[in-house]
Amino acid sequence: MPPKKPSPWRPSFFTLSILPGSIGFLLLYFYGLPSLSETPARGARASQWQSSEGEPGIAESRLTAQSVESVEQPADLGPKDPKDPYGFYLHVYGDPAAVIYQVREVKKFFPTSPIYVMSDGGLDFSALCAKEGCTFVLCPPANDRWHPWPFFRRLFDAAVSLNTKYVIMLEPDNTVHDYIKRPPPADVGGLLVTGRSFGLVKYVEKMAQKRVPGFKWTSRSMSSGLCGGAYFKREAILDALSDENMMKLDWNYLGEKLSKEIFSSDFAMQYAFAARGWKIEPWDDAAQMDKDKDQPLTGARDASFKHYCSCYPGGKPTYNLKLTKEDAKLYKESGYEMTSGPYSSSVCQVCYNSTRYLELWGSARCTNEIPFQLSEKLLQRHHPELDSKPCDLPWLCKPGKKRGKGIDSVGFAPVDPLASYRLLDEPTSSCPPETKMLESVNQCQDAALKLPKKLAYTDELYQEADPPGCVFRVPDDDIYFNAPEEGQTNGNRRLICQVLRSA
């Protein structure tokens, strides 16, 4: 049976106490119990979540909403319990109309939930939070969506401040439609991304099993997209995203073995939470909207939170909103040279250097306090231009100067100038007696020169279907260095081994 529609009037406890039992029972049946949330002691939620910038207030949304007309407006705006388990982390940069609208929508459907707004060196929304009763933090610009060290720290700080059982992360292009209908089923969850998988699974599972014996990073876990609309248990954030625990992952190793996407926030969070053994699952209360205006690509049609692709008909709804003159007073530029200068709207990827962060901003506020430097291999792979010209990436190195040398890769092995090599005749995954496996790309390069054979790649690959080491590809008549977690024998592959010299 569907629930009764809420009545605008409910009998007070006093009324029930003076009426005959049968009449009181009928009132209870038709109108329900008195609402505790309507008593004066529970009515001032905003006072609990004051911004340091000023006293909170309650205001109606003044944004024109033609472009979000598809957002449903249910009558039930959620519970009035000040101990609501959900707090909201809004990760923002610009788009003031979208941010202001989103804060008000969260307040509408989650009136007792605290809201924490963090700007990645973008607009300053302190006036908005002073008016609406949220917490605002302006962090130095870092394009943290592509650099997990500041991204994780900022989400960690939000979880500390919100102090709720769950933290729901929103981005300006999310829309909020209702109070949560489907309670979170796991420790972490987000949009369903079908068919997605990640590499170095055994590396991650080995780390996780130190905390959670038997932990498996499943394909179902990997199919959860941790973008806007995702939820996180506070305890999971405080564990997995702490400075110490997130740095137990070898980020240079991950970046070298895989691709630069490992540094994007959605991918990086998967590795961080899985490496600590936290359960991750898709969440039907977060929906991905695609080319169909009404039917989600994944997630429930009546999901509480919706995320939009750029292909959505008419564009992302909140990005079509217009500011009123009144709301234009609720934000200002932050002083980080948003419209011009070296820090303006940077989209630099794989550009983090903790030493440079400290030089630019004077402290490690809003980032990991443990020093981190990219490896030389990653710098050469993603910024080869800096090998021959002065630096023009101010977050990575000082402009006009030559960049410093990156950290040496762990996998680098010296080459014996007298080494000789043997190309095996049969497929196998290990070298026979009196020979040994090659250990690095540079050793494989040396083998290519001496055999001679064409070297297919100057960087190592990660191919689980091939054996580890220096591999000859029979159909292609070339060699490459393979660095899988395990690898296996392949009928179309032959190993190249180094011949051991007798003493």
Side-chain angles (χ1 to χ4, degrees):
M1 178 182 293
K4 300 183 184 70
K5 184 177 180 180
S7 167
W9 177 84
R10 290 183 180 182
S12 68
F13 281 114
F14 175 75
T15 302
L16 291 173
S17 69
I18 64 173
L19 290 172
S22 59
I23 298 176
F25 175 80
L26 288 173
L27 286 175
L28 279 174
Y29 178 80
F30 286 108
Y31 297 104
L33 282 169
S35 173
L36 289 175
S37 63
E38 295 170 4
T39 62
R42 303 280 286 280
R45 168 263 175 197
S47 64
Q48 296 185 14
W49 307 106
Q50 294 180 3
S51 163
S52 59
E53 303 294 335
E55 292 298 317
I58 297 177
E60 306 243 329
S61 174
R62 298 183 181 86
L63 292 171
T64 57
Q66 303 97 310
S67 57
V68 287
E69 60 189 0
S70 62
V71 177
E72 299 166 2
Q73 307 295 334
D76 185 3
L77 301 185
K80 305 294 191 294
D81 186 353
K83 294 182 180 179
D84 196 300
Y86 305 109
F88 288 82
Y89 171 59
L90 276 58
H91 181 283
V92 307
Y93 180 78
D95 305 297
V99 174
I100 294 168
Y101 179 79
Q102 191 174 78
V103 166
R104 290 170 176 162
E105 289 295 284
V106 171
K107 287 182 62 178
K108 180 191 298 183
F109 296 111
F110 298 82
T112 65
S113 291
I115 303 171
Y116 184 105
V117 182
M118 188 287 301
S119 176
D120 179 20
L123 294 174
D124 182 335
F125 289 100
S126 54
L128 169 67
C129 280
K131 186 178 183 64
E132 299 290 353
C134 50
T135 297
F136 175 72
V137 174
L138 176 63
C139 287
N143 191 27
D144 61 8
R145 301 165 300 170
W146 276 90
H147 303 117
W149 306 274
F151 188 93
F152 286 0
R153 184 70 220 185
R154 295 165 187 194
L155 180 50
F156 181 98
D157 291 343
V160 171
S161 175
L162 291 167
N163 196 27
T164 49
K165 182 176 181 179
Y166 295 99
V167 174
I168 296 173
M169 182 177 73
L170 296 178
E171 296 162 335
D173 59 347
N174 288 121
T175 53
V176 184
H177 296 254
D178 202 348
Y179 191 78
I180 289 169
K181 304 177 181 71
R182 302 163 184 85
D187 301 316
V188 177
L191 298 169
L192 173 62
V193 182
T194 56
R196 188 171 69 171
S197 62
F198 296 103
L200 297 176
V201 175
K202 288 183 172 56
Y203 169 80
V204 171
E205 290 180 342
K206 184 177 179 181
M207 292 185 67
Q209 287 164 6
K210 295 176 182 177
R211 177 179 172 272
V212 183
F215 175 83
K216 294 295 182 182
W217 193 16
T218 66
S219 57
R220 178 168 172 78
S221 295
M222 297 179 196
S223 67
S224 181
L226 304 182
C227 54
Y231 71 85
F232 310 85
K233 274 188 178 176
R234 181 178 186 265
E235 62 178 315
I237 293 175
L238 299 187
D239 173 69
L241 305 191
S242 69
D243 287 1
E244 296 78 11
N245 285 336
M246 73 86 71
M247 287 296 283
K248 289 178 181 177
L249 283 157
D250 188 338
W251 292 97
N252 280 317
Y253 171 76
L254 293 172
E256 290 173 10
K257 297 287 187 184
L258 305 172
S259 66
K260 70 177 181 179
E261 278 70 30
I262 184 64
F263 298 119
S264 67
S265 58
D266 182 9
F267 282 42
M269 284 195 288
Q270 275 276 354
Y271 280 83
F273 286 109
R276 295 293 295 167
W278 294 99
K279 185 179 180 183
I280 310 169
E281 287 190 3
W283 190 32
D284 278 345
D285 234 17
Q288 174 64 45
M289 304 304 295
D290 200 71
K291 296 177 181 178
D292 189 305
K293 187 174 182 180
D294 302 311
Q295 182 61 42
L297 181 66
T298 63
R301 189 183 179 99
D302 65 342
S304 298
F305 307 100
K306 293 183 178 179
H307 185 272
Y308 297 81
C309 75
S310 57
C311 62
Y312 186 75
K316 298 186 178 186
T318 58
Y319 289 172
N320 293 328
L321 293 168
K322 305 297 181 185
L323 277 170
T324 65
K325 186 179 294 187
E326 185 80 11
D327 284 337
K329 302 173 184 177
L330 298 181
Y331 72 95
K332 61 183 178 181
E333 291 192 6
S334 64
Y336 284 117
E337 302 182 53
M338 285 187 61
T339 57
S340 63
Y343 317 119
S344 60
S345 304
S346 174
V347 292
C348 187
Q349 301 170 2
V350 197
C351 286
Y352 183 78
N353 180 330
S354 59
T355 301
R356 185 66 182 145
Y357 189 100
L358 291 172
E359 289 175 356
L360 285 169
W361 316 123
S363 76
R365 186 178 72 87
C366 296
T367 196
N368 196 310
E369 293 187 355
I370 299 174
F372 175 82
Q373 186 178 359
L374 291 164
S375 72
E376 182 67 16
K377 180 181 288 188
L378 286 176
L379 290 172
Q380 290 182 356
R381 180 188 297 173
H382 299 295
H383 305 295
E385 74 283 359
L386 297 184
D387 290 343
S388 58
K389 70 175 188 178
C391 178
D392 60 355
L393 299 174
W395 293 354
L396 187 62
C397 42
K398 195 167 184 177
K401 304 288 185 180
K402 288 201 69 175
R403 72 163 177 84
K405 189 176 185 301
I407 294 173
D408 286 334
S409 300
V410 175
F412 186 88
V415 173
D416 180 356
L418 301 178
S420 61
Y421 304 95
R422 180 188 301 170
L423 173 58
L424 302 184
D425 295 325
E426 299 296 328
T428 182
S429 58
S430 61
C431 287
E434 300 181 357
T435 66
K436 68 175 184 177
M437 303 283 287
L438 275 65
E439 299 175 353
S440 66
V441 174
N442 55 318
Q443 290 182 345
C444 203
Q445 287 175 323
D446 188 54
L449 289 171
K450 291 177 178 177
L451 283 174
K453 291 291 180 183
K454 177 185 175 183
L455 184 71
Y457 302 98
T458 57
D459 203 354
E460 63 189 24
L461 297 187
Y462 167 75
Q463 299 293 325
E464 287 292 346
D466 290 356
C470 193
V471 178
F472 175 68
R473 303 191 300 182
V474 177
D476 304 286
D477 193 30
D478 61 22
I479 67 175
Y480 81 99
F481 187 79
N482 191 30
E485 285 189 276
E486 293 184 345
Q488 60 186 5
T489 301
N490 184 326
N492 288 320
R493 304 290 186 263
R494 303 290 186 270
L495 277 179
I496 296 172
C497 304
Q498 182 176 338
V499 178
L500 296 175
R501 297 199 308 272
S502 58

